[in-house]
Amino acid sequence: MIEILIVLAALVLAVLFVVRPGRVRPAQLAPFQGWNYAHRGLHTQDKQVAENSLPAFAAAVAAGYGMELDVQLSKDGQVVVFHDDTLDRVTGVQGRVDAFTWEELQKMQL
């Protein structure tokens, strides 16, 4: 019985070790300190500059911001910069990004 408890305790500790985030040392953070980052480009709330658009990325560069973006594949295997899995929030089109070809996606308005 005690062997089972020891094995279970070891298993729990192993799982906790694997899933717990590691400690980040200040030296690891240093290259990222003092920068602003534009999530999905530097877009505007009024949507005059749409998120994940070339103008949003150009605005981030012009402002000296770092950028975060997500990439996915279209139905025909082309790389697409798009944050959500589905298109509806940004384009009004129902469906997943990977359900459309590159040509079909290019015709959609952000």
Side-chain angles (χ1 to χ4, degrees), residues 18-106:
V18 169
V19 299
R20 137 181 131 59
R23 283 196 122 85
V24 178
R25 295 185 314 266
Q28 291 172 303
L29 290 176
F32 304 100
Q33 299 295 326
W35 289 87
N36 291 312
Y37 290 90
H39 186 123
R40 295 171 273 171
L42 191 55
H43 53 95
T44 59
Q45 274 192 320
D46 64 6
K47 308 213 187 289
Q48 291 296 315
V49 178
E51 67 183 63
N52 286 319
S53 65
L54 289 176
F57 294 123
V61 169
Y65 284 19
M67 287 177 277
E68 178 276 342
L69 56 91
D70 302 277
V71 293
Q72 300 186 46
L73 293 178
S74 64
K75 184 177 181 178
D76 52 349
Q78 297 297 311
V79 175
V80 178
V81 175
F82 204 82
H83 177 73
D84 301 343
D85 289 333
T86 58
L87 297 161
D88 57 323
R89 181 179 69 84
V90 179
T91 67
V93 175
Q94 297 296 313
R96 293 176 48 89
V97 173
D98 60 5
F100 295 88
T101 65
W102 170 245
E103 186 178 339
E104 292 168 327
L105 290 167
Q106 282 185 304

